Amino acid sequence: MENDIPKIDLPQDWIIGTNITKELLGLYTDFPCRLKAGIFVLCMEGEIEVSFNLIRFQVKPYSFITILPGSIFQIHKIEGNLQIYFMGFSSNFINDSNVVKSAMDVLYVVKETPVVFLKKNAAELMEDYFTLLIKTYELYGSNMGKEMLNHLLSGILLGIGAMYKNKVFNKVSLSKAEQISKKFGQLVTQNYTTQRSVVWYAKKLGITPAHLSTIVKQVTGKTCIEIISLMVIMDAKTQLKSTNLSIHDIAYSLNFTNMSFFGKYFKRYVGMGPQEYRNS
């Protein structure tokens, strides 16, 4: 059933604008869609009832919405005149970007609370930020360098993480499962270059590997191995594209016993070998 859900992505690395209309959103009222892209939305006017991952939310004026890649969404009701700012990054750009540590923190904050309400002055400040980025987009379009876009996305994720933490976590305590999952994510970011065993992380957290795997999957939608490998691959991609280190040295820095094992591991997740990726 899930495989039959239409998937939506962006045709270019990033896009930003205000041209979200009732007619456009109305296209998504009859069936759910899965977003492959990452989308950030600021609603200044109008109201929308929407589902994210089968949970309904009310979007009202001064709402900020973070839609993570892989989210399933559906529009149910639209009221009033809409004034919406949006910004999106394609799945290809996100997969190739070096924003994993920022994204990991945001993942735990946003997963259960994609919609956060801002005070009027905070929303207006966010509106100014979107307006500035829209002018930047009009000047450079889709031709902004990937390094500049990397910095842009990293900054946005860090800001969103802080904003959501202040708005959400100061009021709602993390559940036990969320606490364990967050600690796992923190351990991975600190140890992924040397530890890739779920057993090792479970032991550090004082629970069984099966229990850890179940909790992490429930909270993040990803398996422990997927999160660990994501960190390893993103690090490898960054070194391949932004340094002159040999593939042997990169493999060594990530604690692979030999280049052959590193090459097979990289190809399993990326679809091509390290040298081919470096040349692409």
Side-chain angles (χ1 to χ4, degrees):
M1 173 69 177
E2 187 175 290
N3 291 332
D4 295 331
I5 296 176
K7 299 178 178 64
I8 300 174
D9 205 350
L10 298 177
Q12 57 198 56
D13 287 344
W14 83 302
I15 190 169
I16 186 168
T18 59
N19 54 330
I20 298 294
T21 64
K22 285 185 177 181
E23 291 73 23
L24 179 60
L25 291 179
L27 297 175
Y28 305 105
T29 57
D30 296 328
F31 53 83
C33 295
R34 182 184 292 278
L35 275 173
K36 297 179 70 176
I39 305 291
F40 307 103
V41 178
L42 174 67
C43 176
M44 295 300 289
E45 293 183 21
E47 296 188 12
I48 305 169
E49 184 177 332
V50 59
S51 290
F52 295 117
N53 300 317
L54 306 181
I55 301 174
R56 292 205 180 200
F57 295 90
Q58 294 292 332
V59 175
K60 298 180 179 181
Y62 311 143
S63 298
F64 188 86
I65 307 99
T66 303
I67 312 174
L68 298 172
S71 297
I72 298 173
F73 85 101
Q74 183 175 2
I75 302 295
H76 301 289
K77 188 191 302 182
I78 306 169
E79 295 181 347
N81 295 318
L82 297 181
Q83 183 183 358
I84 292 178
Y85 296 83
F86 72 94
M87 174 167 44
F89 294 85
S90 72
S91 61
N92 285 336
F93 173 75
I94 292 173
N95 290 337
D96 287 339
S97 64
N98 182 31
V99 295
V100 180
K101 293 182 180 179
S102 302
M104 287 291 291
D105 290 337
V106 171
L107 177 66
Y108 294 105
V109 177
V110 175
K111 180 73 176 178
E112 301 300 327
T113 315
V115 181
V116 65
F117 299 103
L118 306 176
K119 292 182 179 179
K120 184 174 184 291
N121 58 351
E124 290 173 345
L125 184 62
M126 185 68 73
E127 184 179 27
D128 291 340
Y129 180 62
F130 269 88
T131 300
L132 175 62
L133 289 178
I134 288 172
K135 291 179 179 179
T136 303
Y137 185 83
E138 291 172 348
L139 182 62
Y140 293 103
S142 59
N143 296 318
M144 284 179 65
K146 289 189 181 294
E147 184 176 354
M148 189 172 179
L149 284 178
N150 269 323
H151 289 308
L152 174 61
L153 180 55
S154 294
I156 290 167
L157 291 173
L158 287 171
I160 287 172
M163 178 178 68
Y164 272 70
K165 183 176 181 180
N166 290 335
K167 296 293 292 186
V168 179
F169 283 178
N170 286 346
K171 299 178 181 179
V172 182
S173 298
L174 289 174
S175 68
K176 183 66 175 178
E178 289 169 333
Q179 291 176 24
I180 292 173
S181 189
K182 185 176 182 180
K183 287 179 181 177
F184 168 72
Q186 292 170 338
L187 281 173
V188 171
T189 61
Q190 296 165 1
N191 299 281
Y192 69 90
T193 58
T194 57
Q195 301 294 340
R196 288 189 279 274
S197 167
V198 178
V199 173
W200 185 88
Y201 289 99
K203 186 176 181 180
K204 292 287 288 186
L205 292 168
I207 59 178
T208 67
H211 187 39
L212 175 60
S213 298
T214 299
I215 287 173
V216 171
K217 181 67 173 179
Q218 286 177 345
V219 173
T220 70
K222 297 180 181 294
T223 67
C224 292
I225 293 297
E226 284 175 337
I227 290 174
I228 295 168
S229 62
L230 179 66
M231 293 296 298
V232 175
I233 292 300
M234 289 299 180
D235 193 329
K237 283 181 173 181
T238 300
Q239 293 195 62
L240 286 166
K241 288 292 190 180
S242 63
T243 75
N244 294 320
L245 290 174
S246 68
I247 293 176
H248 175 274
D249 287 342
I250 294 173
Y252 182 77
S253 75
L254 294 171
N255 204 38
F256 285 91
T257 54
N258 56 66
M259 283 181 58
S260 177
F261 183 35
F262 172 62
K264 291 177 181 177
Y265 185 95
F266 189 90
K267 188 170 185 177
R268 182 194 314 162
Y269 291 102
V270 182
M272 65 179 75
Q275 188 62 57
E276 185 180 355
Y277 178 79
R278 169 168 270 178
N279 296 336
S280 66

